Structure formats: structure tokens, C-alpha cells
Amino acid sequence: MKNIVIIGAGKGIGLAIASALHPENQVIAITKTPSEDLTKQGISTILLEAGKQNLQAGNDFPEAIHGLVYCPGSITLKPFHRLREEDFLNDFRQNVLGAVQCIQELLPRLKQGKASVVLFSSVAARVGMPFHASIACSKSGLEALAKSLAAEYASIPIRFNVIAPSLSDTSLAQNLLNTPEKQDSAAKRHPLQRIGTVQDSAALAQFLLSENSSWITGQVIGLDGGLGNLKV
């Protein structure tokens, strides 16, 4: 049984990953607020805001951590002329520095577990999209971080990979999908003619955390219905 820490596991993609991995693994869910869904499944939960509070302060983590998933993200969509410096800084703090802090704090335990680390980017880091300047900058930084760490820790080995989804049906994207017309329009932008689900992301994360992906590291994997590479 592996010890898997999931940051941002209270809802959406993080919750779906926690549910997929439990109970075959010892899942430790990190979330800002209590989650009834986690409680019902008997998933061990630590309440704190990762990236702002020390993960290990007063919390008893296992000596070896075999997997770490960092799910927090943002979706700051504004015309470029309306973006403030603080918008860029907030996105960078959450998407990049939050991941940096969590990885650094748990690194000795990740080394013991020869772990797989999974981070979440966005198709917007690869494909130029209007109004995505801030989020694209921060997610591009996260992808670069993962590649650098994959090289630095390959000899242990700790593996680092990134999942880059397109628009998925989560609470974070609620304003973009809150009518049937918006859902239909979003689906039609993708070659596979649908938007993503949390189960899509959970299945890929589960694979990257498993031994079946033991020869995969330093990769950014597009989970985007073909949007990142295809024109149809």
C-alpha cells in the first residue's frame, strides 16, 4: 500500500483523485475546508491552506511518501489591459510557489518513497488563448519547474510529471459552463466534441502515480480532447 498526499483534495479533480486511489492506498487529503465527501469515504484529512501554512506543523506524515499530487489552481480570465500586477503575483503564488513549498517541505519523505509527483497545468500554457495571460504565465512556470526537478531528482528516482487539461467540468469553471449554450459551445471547440471531466484527470493521475508509468518523467501530458495539437 502506497502513501499518497493530495493537495487540494476537497473538491473537483483533487477529490476525484482521492476517491480513485482510496482504499487501495493510504490517501492523505489536504484541504482548506472540511469535505463531507472525504469524511464519508473515511479518507484521512488535514485541514490547512497549502502554500501558506507549513504542511508538517503538528501533522504526522508517514516516513515515506510514494506519491504527491498538487491540485490547487486558478482561472483568472481578464483582458490584458485589465490585469494588475497583483493578478499575476496571486496566480504565480498559488500555482508555482505553492507547489514549490509543498515539495520542499515533503522532499525528505518523497526521497524515502522514491515518489511520483503529479502537478496540474493548463492547455493555455501551450495554446495561445485570449484573456489567459496571467494563468498561462504561471502554468508555464509550473511546467518548467517540473522538468527541472525531474532532471535534478532522476537519480533517486523521484518522478515529476504534469497534466495539462483543457476546460473541465469543475466548480472552478462554473461561470464558463453555467448554461447549456456555454457547455455546447465549449464542447465544440475541442476535436473530440466534449469538455473534460474530473474522472479524466483522476484516471491519468492514477496512472502517473502507479508503477505502470515508472519510465515516464519530465513530461507535460495534454488532457485536452485534442485541442492542443489538432485542427479539425
Side-chain angles (χ1 to χ4, degrees):
M1 181 175 285
K2 292 185 176 182
N3 300 315
I4 311 291
V5 176
I6 304 174
I7 313 294
K11 57 185 178 181
I13 290 172
L15 175 60
I17 296 170
S19 300
L21 292 170
H22 177 78
E24 286 76 15
N25 301 277
Q26 176 60 44
V27 175
I28 303 163
I30 312 295
T31 177
K32 287 193 296 184
T33 57
S35 169
E36 187 175 336
D37 292 307
L38 292 171
T39 302
K40 285 180 178 178
Q41 296 180 72
I43 295 174
S44 177
T45 305
I46 296 174
L47 295 179
L48 58 78
E49 189 168 4
K52 294 186 178 180
Q53 297 172 272
N54 190 299
L55 290 178
Q56 299 187 98
N59 297 308
D60 187 20
F61 284 89
E63 181 178 349
I65 293 175
H66 306 97
L68 172 63
V69 186
Y70 186 82
C71 296
S74 55
I75 188 165
T76 306
L77 303 182
K78 293 182 182 179
F80 180 70
H81 70 274
R82 288 181 48 205
L83 284 168
R84 300 169 295 124
E85 179 179 336
E86 195 61 25
D87 291 320
F88 284 93
L89 291 173
N90 286 339
D91 281 343
F92 191 81
R93 288 188 191 105
Q94 183 170 42
N95 291 290
V96 182
L97 296 182
V100 167
Q101 180 179 331
C102 293
I103 294 167
Q104 286 184 332
E105 289 173 357
L106 297 178
L107 186 58
R109 301 174 191 274
L110 294 170
K111 288 179 177 179
Q112 290 298 315
K114 297 182 178 179
S116 171
V117 177
V118 178
L119 307 175
F120 275 86
S121 180
S122 165
V123 67
R126 167 181 283 191
V127 179
M129 297 181 176
F131 314 124
H132 283 69
S134 181
I135 187 64
C137 285
S138 64
K139 291 299 192 181
S140 295
L142 184 68
E143 292 180 5
L145 171 70
K147 292 177 183 178
S148 179
L149 295 181
E152 186 168 344
Y153 292 102
S155 62
I156 291 176
I158 302 176
R159 298 187 293 114
F160 291 83
N161 291 292
V162 181
I163 298 173
S166 185
L167 184 64
S168 299
D169 189 6
T170 66
S171 58
L172 194 64
Q174 183 177 8
N175 289 339
L176 302 175
L177 299 170
N178 56 9
T179 68
E181 293 76 18
K182 288 182 180 180
Q183 294 170 19
D184 185 60
S185 176
K188 288 179 177 177
R189 288 198 296 270
H190 297 80
L192 290 180
Q193 299 291 293
R194 72 169 175 89
I195 59 174
T197 69
V198 294
Q199 287 75 26
D200 293 325
S201 291
L204 182 51
Q206 190 172 14
F207 168 70
L208 291 173
L209 292 166
S210 75
E211 294 306 315
N212 291 328
S213 64
S214 62
W215 212 41
I216 300 175
T217 192
Q219 303 302 308
V220 178
I221 302 173
L223 187 66
D224 55 23
L227 182 64
N229 289 311
L230 306 180
K231 183 178 181 181
V232 297

